[in-house]
Amino acid sequence: MNNEGVQLVCGWGINDVDYPVHRYEKVEGKTRQKCIWVCPYYRKWCGVLIRCFDQGLHKKHPTYIGCTICDEWKYLSNFIKWVDSQPNRDWINCDLDKDFLSTSNKHYSPETAVFVPSKVNKFVLDSGKVRGAFMIGVKISPNKKNPYIARCNNPFNSKERYIGLFPTELEAHLAWQAKKHEYACLLAEQQQDPRVAKALRERYAPDKDWTNNKETT
């Protein structure tokens, strides 16, 4: 394909589809137009390009520095083909995640990216900035005998679930992990994508050590 003269999206991507990805209508009494629709494929694709190439975003959200995208997705048409091949049919309402299957990954590609429901993404957030210095799932209690509280967010009602009081921080943390694993397995049963379901079942399994880990998005 001859790309000479093509306006690049985010300085890199090529919109090669044969239909308008934006729809506009005139504003009554004004000469300008307003956008009333954006192609959902294009919106998701642009979101990835922005995370990889937008320097302004990198300044506000440094975690996106170093993100890359596969050459195949340089073309919007290839990205659309991949989206249409995904088992998650509700992809429009999902987050396109690069590190759900592997928390250290920063590369967007058909092998590494996956559509994850927002409810699932919120469930795996660590919230390390607000939880303090304790292990994940643990807070301090005024109870002198059992000074550690274990709590876990319930993804089905978005409320924090009280698990119990424990004499040591580690015991409270392990109680959190057990409840987290229970919820993760229940969430896994609702997933259309088997990769997401498998990752949920394995993420908080008893053989996983979360004592020093911090989850990422």
Side-chain angles (χ1 to χ4, degrees):
M1 179 183 293
N2 183 5
N3 299 321
E4 187 176 350
V6 173
Q7 185 175 358
L8 299 178
V9 181
C10 290
W12 185 83
I14 296 174
N15 173 11
D16 61 336
V17 298
D18 59 0
Y19 63 88
V21 294
H22 297 89
R23 189 176 301 143
Y24 297 89
E25 69 176 14
K26 288 185 177 180
V27 178
E28 186 175 354
K30 298 183 182 294
T31 58
R32 64 181 178 86
Q33 293 183 327
K34 68 175 182 179
C35 182
I36 60 172
W37 176 83
V38 179
C39 170
Y41 293 104
Y42 182 79
R43 190 191 297 274
K44 293 289 186 185
W45 181 65
C46 280
V48 176
L49 299 187
I50 290 170
R51 280 169 257 173
C52 292
F53 300 110
D54 191 310
Q55 298 299 317
L57 180 71
H58 292 171
K59 290 180 181 179
K60 294 180 180 179
H61 303 283
T63 55
Y64 289 118
I65 295 175
C67 287
T68 57
I69 182 172
C70 65
D71 290 339
E72 180 182 346
W73 286 359
K74 183 180 184 72
Y75 297 93
L76 175 57
S77 61
N78 288 339
F79 179 76
I80 291 174
K81 290 176 183 177
W82 174 79
V83 172
D84 286 343
S85 72
Q86 296 308 290
N88 194 330
R89 309 317 300 171
D90 190 35
W91 60 267
I92 292 178
N93 297 311
C94 292
D95 302 323
L96 182 53
D97 203 296
K98 69 188 182 312
D99 51 15
F100 187 84
L101 302 179
S102 176
T103 56
S104 60
N105 179 63
K106 301 196 79 170
H107 183 61
Y108 288 93
S109 71
E111 295 76 30
T112 59
V114 66
F115 283 110
V116 180
S118 296
K119 178 171 68 174
V120 174
N121 242 351
K122 290 178 182 178
F123 175 71
V124 300
L125 282 176
D126 167 54
S127 300
K129 291 182 179 181
V130 297
R131 68 179 172 83
F134 296 105
M135 294 179 186
I136 300 177
V138 180
K139 294 181 180 180
I140 197 67
S141 162
N143 186 303
K144 293 183 179 180
K145 184 178 180 180
N146 297 294
Y148 297 99
I149 307 172
R151 296 179 182 272
C152 181
N153 288 330
N154 184 333
F156 301 102
N157 60 18
S158 300
K159 295 182 179 180
E160 191 174 50
R161 166 74 182 272
Y162 169 79
I163 301 172
L165 294 172
F166 298 87
T168 69
E169 181 182 359
L170 179 59
E171 287 177 281
H173 166 76
L174 292 176
W176 163 86
Q177 183 173 351
K179 179 56 66 174
K180 194 83 169 179
H181 180 58
E182 177 185 332
Y183 282 145
C185 289
L186 291 174
L187 274 178
E189 295 176 4
Q190 299 180 348
Q191 304 311 306
Q192 298 178 23
D193 193 320
R195 294 179 299 168
V196 175
K198 182 175 184 290
L200 279 169
R201 292 189 178 99
E202 295 177 351
R203 195 177 187 102
Y204 305 101
D207 62 331
K208 301 292 184 181
D209 182 4
W210 282 96
T211 55
N212 294 309
N213 289 50
K214 290 186 177 182
E215 300 173 68
T216 56
T217 59

